[in-house]
Amino acid sequence: MNRVAEHRHAAANRLCGHGTPRQSNENRWSLRSLAGPLLFGTLLLLSGCDGPLSSLDPAGPSARSAAWLWWGMFGFSVVVMAALYGLWWYAMRRDPGEISDQQAQRHQNRWVIWGGLALPIGSITLLLAFGIPAGHRMLPLPPAEGEALVIEVKAHQWFWQVRYPERDIELINALVIPANTPVDIHLTTADVIHSFWVPRLGGKLDTIPGRTNVLRLEADRTGDFHGQCAEFCGAGHAHMPFVVTAKSAEDYQQWLNNPDARTQGDRDD
């Protein structure tokens, strides 16, 4: 009982002070033992920022807006978390002294106003200020020049049926699009709810029975971009990958006019 804090405050009687030398050595050893796992965990998390299904490696305007929004939210959360850790560290080590009930009530009111109201309201307002314009840029609005290419995609358990309505072309689990051209993906489903997602090109959108949803995609470079069904749709959900291939305008026209190239180069079997 000799170590119980006065007035139930943890800072009294040196409970949260430096302690004995043995306690200090034990604390330093605990921090050292945690350093390795923390470093490994950080590197493991950073390894997810790259790869064929990483939304943090954008290759189109819609995906780039989402990535910038994510990095902004991440940076803001780091600042807020660092500030909270700093306040926590200060609160645990400071000497509270003697305060009256009125002073304690004023301190409590400040925490409620600034921590319980100002911080969340300000955070949500800041998020909306950047998030609404970013979401607006992802909508399938009329392009500034020309028209968007329309591709129809129907989800099945468990594959994607791709159709080009202006051409007699049908593919399975593969899309071919021209680079630097807005493409509207008209999404439907033959059975249950699925979700069409190409992380490096844009956001995901569900396929709803009885409805046609439109997703705007655009690639600002050529190459293959992997996609995946992002909504659990049954036993074969994990086996619904697909590939979006972005070609230059010339190569895309050649692909359209060359059935042999389509048969050999794409998964339309």
Side-chain angles (χ1 to χ4, degrees):
M1 297 297 294
N2 292 332
R3 299 291 294 175
V4 175
E6 297 176 1
H7 308 298
R8 299 181 183 179
H9 201 287
N13 289 342
R14 299 182 61 83
L15 275 179
C16 296
H18 298 289
T20 65
R22 180 179 178 182
Q23 290 173 334
S24 300
N25 291 333
E26 291 177 351
N27 292 337
R28 284 196 293 269
W29 178 252
S30 299
L31 293 175
R32 291 174 183 173
S33 62
L34 289 175
L38 288 176
L39 179 60
F40 176 77
T42 302
L43 294 176
L44 187 63
L45 291 174
L46 290 176
S47 66
C49 297
D50 196 4
L53 291 174
S54 174
S55 59
L56 300 181
D57 184 20
S62 294
R64 189 168 295 106
S65 296
W68 277 112
L69 183 61
W70 187 93
W71 281 113
M73 294 172 59
F74 175 75
F76 182 77
S77 65
V78 169
V79 172
V80 172
M81 187 63 68
L84 290 177
Y85 282 163
L87 289 173
W88 168 78
W89 182 256
Y90 170 74
M92 294 296 293
R93 297 182 64 86
R94 75 184 182 93
D95 182 7
E98 295 293 336
I99 59 174
S100 63
D101 292 341
Q102 293 180 346
Q103 291 175 319
Q105 185 64 46
R106 284 198 297 269
H107 291 166
Q108 177 177 305
N109 293 342
R110 288 180 192 145
W111 279 108
V112 170
I113 293 174
W114 290 105
L117 295 176
L119 179 60
I121 292 176
S123 301
I124 294 174
T125 302
L126 189 63
L127 175 62
L128 292 176
F130 288 94
I132 291 177
H136 187 267
R137 289 191 291 269
M138 299 179 189
L139 296 176
L141 301 174
E145 298 180 1
E147 296 182 356
L149 172 66
V150 175
I151 300 178
E152 298 175 353
V153 176
K154 178 177 285 189
H156 298 259
Q157 292 177 312
W158 288 274
F159 66 94
W160 302 91
Q161 180 185 10
V162 180
R163 180 175 174 271
Y164 293 73
E166 297 181 357
R167 302 271 187 155
D168 187 19
I169 299 175
E170 186 171 306
L171 307 175
I172 300 297
N173 294 336
L175 292 85
V176 178
I177 63 174
N180 300 306
T181 301
V183 180
D184 285 346
I185 310 297
H186 288 221
L187 297 167
T188 58
T189 178
D191 35 63
V192 299
I193 296 177
H194 302 267
S195 189
F196 185 91
W197 190 28
V198 190
R200 296 189 63 198
L201 295 184
K204 63 180 179 179
L205 189 63
D206 288 349
T207 63
I208 309 295
R211 292 188 56 182
T212 299
N213 293 332
V214 181
L215 175 67
R216 169 67 54 83
L217 293 182
E218 183 175 348
D220 55 17
R221 69 189 73 169
T222 61
D224 292 337
F225 305 100
H226 294 260
Q228 176 67 44
C229 178
E231 179 74 25
F232 182 72
C233 53
H237 164 69
H239 305 288
M240 284 190 67
F242 59 93
V243 177
V244 178
T245 300
K247 297 178 178 289
S248 64
E250 297 78 9
D251 291 342
Y252 179 73
Q253 288 300 322
Q254 183 179 3
W255 177 84
L256 288 176
N257 300 322
N258 189 346
D260 293 334
R262 294 200 300 270
T263 302
Q264 297 172 5
D266 305 295
R267 305 174 193 178
D268 54 354
D269 51 346

